[in-house]
Amino acid sequence: MKKLSEQIKIEAKKLKKTTHQHETLKKIRHRLSIESGFKRGYLELLKFEREKEREDRFAKEGIKPSKKTIPLFPVGNGLEVFLNSDGQRGIRALNDYNIGDLLITDYPVFWATLKSVEEDVRMSWKLTAEILAHNRKDFEKFVNEYELRHDLHTPRYDESDRKISSFLSKRTGLENSDIRRIYNIVSTYHCISQIGLIHEETKTYAMGVRSSIIPSLCFFNHSCNPNSQRQTYRTIEEYKSMSEKLIATKEIKKGEEVTWAYSDVLNDSLKNRRKKLKQRFGFQCSCKRCITEQQNKNR
Ligand SMILES: [Zn+2]
């Protein structure tokens, strides 16, 4: 067994070779030392997230990327894509569902590891950079096949976004407009998955956060009073499996739209919900709950 300091050096070296270059040695040392009680699990997380190991793992476990196994229309067995009254795509139920029913299981096709949810303002850039570096052709194919749109929402775009875009433009030789198009698509369709684990004996904490594009989850619309919920990960194994499950949290009737909440709708006020949704996903929420709360406020 190598000493922790040696392991950190090795880990940092490996990380430098991947797209996680932002992880400086100092930060890794800090994180690993405070979490050394949970070192093994944490190293496992870091190791797992490395892009290169993706194919191996998929092959070993016989997991196929969902775009090959789940058709777009319908999604799964009991759901289908439809156009709502605004002419936007949503998902509706083809059967009746009870509370607790599993609606769908799917897997990401593009993803990036994040340091924390705190950096959510820049989350979409991580995934954009990952796609530009490794999967641009696959991504364009995916965008075509699923008809993903870059003009649905306009994510915040300020001076620092311009800087990131110029940096990526220099590295890839793409125009800023192309990069912004990909960034818009990523911002509109990505999901955040996370796990926080507490090691009971040492009372230490480890966390994994991932931003990803999951084919069937792309088209569910947000509601602040949703009728489904993504299942949270309880173990490292579940997080590593990358399976994303959507569970009914209300009774859903055949033909009804299925929605889930993109951000915290239990604790956040109307103002906070709108602010977060605008920042992260670039849209102003006008679900029934938001409209009612707005009307009550105006009275
Ligand atoms: Zn709302």
Side-chain angles (χ1 to χ4, degrees):
M1 188 76 184
K2 283 195 174 69
K3 272 201 238 159
L4 178 62
S5 59
E6 283 168 22
Q7 279 196 16
I8 291 166
K9 274 183 200 161
I10 294 164
E11 282 306 309
K13 238 186 208 171
K14 284 185 204 161
L15 281 169
K16 265 193 174 169
K17 287 179 191 160
T18 72
T19 52
H20 308 281
Q21 282 170 345
H22 56 276
E23 301 266 10
T24 62
L25 183 61
K26 202 175 153 198
K27 277 181 190 157
I28 294 168
R29 179 179 291 135
H30 177 68
R31 279 165 56 192
L32 286 185
S33 59
I34 54 169
E35 289 150 358
S36 57
F38 204 50
K39 194 176 59 195
R40 265 196 59 200
Y42 194 73
L43 287 176
E44 219 178 307
L45 276 178
L46 286 175
K47 192 175 146 209
F48 164 72
E49 294 292 354
R50 263 176 235 127
E51 183 66 22
K52 272 185 190 169
E53 302 191 5
R54 175 176 90 167
E55 272 83 15
D56 290 357
R57 194 183 62 82
F58 271 170
K60 228 187 259 169
E61 294 176 20
I63 296 169
K64 286 179 191 151
S66 62
K67 61 177 174 177
K68 285 177 192 154
T69 54
I70 296 178
L72 180 58
F73 301 100
V75 178
N77 293 322
L79 303 166
E80 69 173 355
V81 178
F82 78 112
L83 291 178
N84 66 21
S85 51
D86 299 331
Q88 289 195 11
R89 278 182 289 192
I91 303 277
R92 69 182 166 200
L94 288 169
N95 307 316
D96 291 346
Y97 289 101
N98 288 317
I99 297 170
D101 282 353
L102 174 68
L103 298 169
I104 199 162
T105 304
D106 204 357
Y107 298 88
V109 283
F110 306 100
W111 68 86
T113 307
L114 307 172
K115 275 186 284 184
S116 70
V117 270
E118 260 61 69
E119 52 172 3
D120 60 10
V121 178
R122 298 281 171 265
M123 282 188 297
S124 303
W125 276 122
K126 284 273 176 64
L127 185 49
T128 303
E130 187 81 23
I131 286 165
L132 288 172
H134 302 291
N135 311 91
R136 193 151 62 86
K137 272 191 186 154
D138 287 345
F139 183 75
E140 293 297 354
K141 247 172 78 186
F142 183 79
V143 167
N144 249 327
E145 189 181 342
Y146 285 72
E147 296 176 28
L148 302 190
R149 287 175 55 183
H150 67 278
D151 54 354
L152 264 186
H153 310 307
T154 319
R156 201 186 69 154
Y157 204 82
D158 61 18
E159 194 46 41
S160 41
D161 295 295
R162 265 184 281 277
K163 273 187 195 158
I164 299 171
S165 179
S166 304
F167 170 77
L168 291 173
S169 169
K170 269 181 215 147
R171 289 198 106 179
T172 57
L174 286 173
E175 296 289 328
N176 272 306
S177 55
D178 284 328
I179 289 168
R180 192 167 178 184
R181 181 181 62 86
I182 294 172
Y183 175 67
N184 279 6
I185 294 170
V186 169
S187 302
T188 304
Y189 294 99
H190 79 128
C191 299
I192 300 298
S193 310
Q194 56 176 312
I195 184 169
L197 293 165
I198 294 164
H199 190 269
E200 285 302 329
E201 277 169 41
T202 57
K203 298 287 176 224
T204 49
Y205 184 72
M207 193 163 179
V209 187
R210 170 165 81 218
S211 162
S212 56
I213 292 185
I214 302 157
S216 58
L217 291 196
C218 282
F219 302 113
F220 287 90
N221 287 315
H222 163 88
S223 168
C224 301
N225 182 14
N227 53 15
S228 78
Q229 176 183 308
R230 285 165 63 200
Q231 194 171 64
T232 49
Y233 296 112
R234 287 156 301 187
T235 62
I236 287 187
E237 282 67 36
E238 277 180 14
Y239 180 78
K240 280 164 69 178
S241 79
M242 286 191 140
S243 69
E244 290 281 345
K245 290 182 164 55
L246 199 68
I247 311 289
T249 52
K250 289 181 185 171
E251 279 184 14
I252 303 171
K253 292 269 166 266
K254 187 180 169 182
E256 204 179 308
E257 178 163 12
V258 181
T259 54
W260 51 277
Y262 295 177
S263 70
D264 184 355
V265 294
L266 283 178
N267 303 303
D268 281 344
S269 64
L270 174 69
K271 195 179 149 199
N272 280 345
R273 295 200 308 270
R274 285 193 160 162
K275 194 177 144 198
K276 280 185 191 169
L277 290 166
K278 184 79 195 164
Q279 251 183 8
R280 289 185 191 175
F281 300 98
F283 70 90
Q284 162 104 353
C285 188
S286 52
C287 71
K288 269 186 202 159
R289 178 179 163 194
C290 281
I291 289 171
T292 312
E293 286 183 16
Q294 182 68 53
Q295 283 167 348
N296 291 344
K297 244 175 106 183
N298 293 344
R299 251 175 226 156

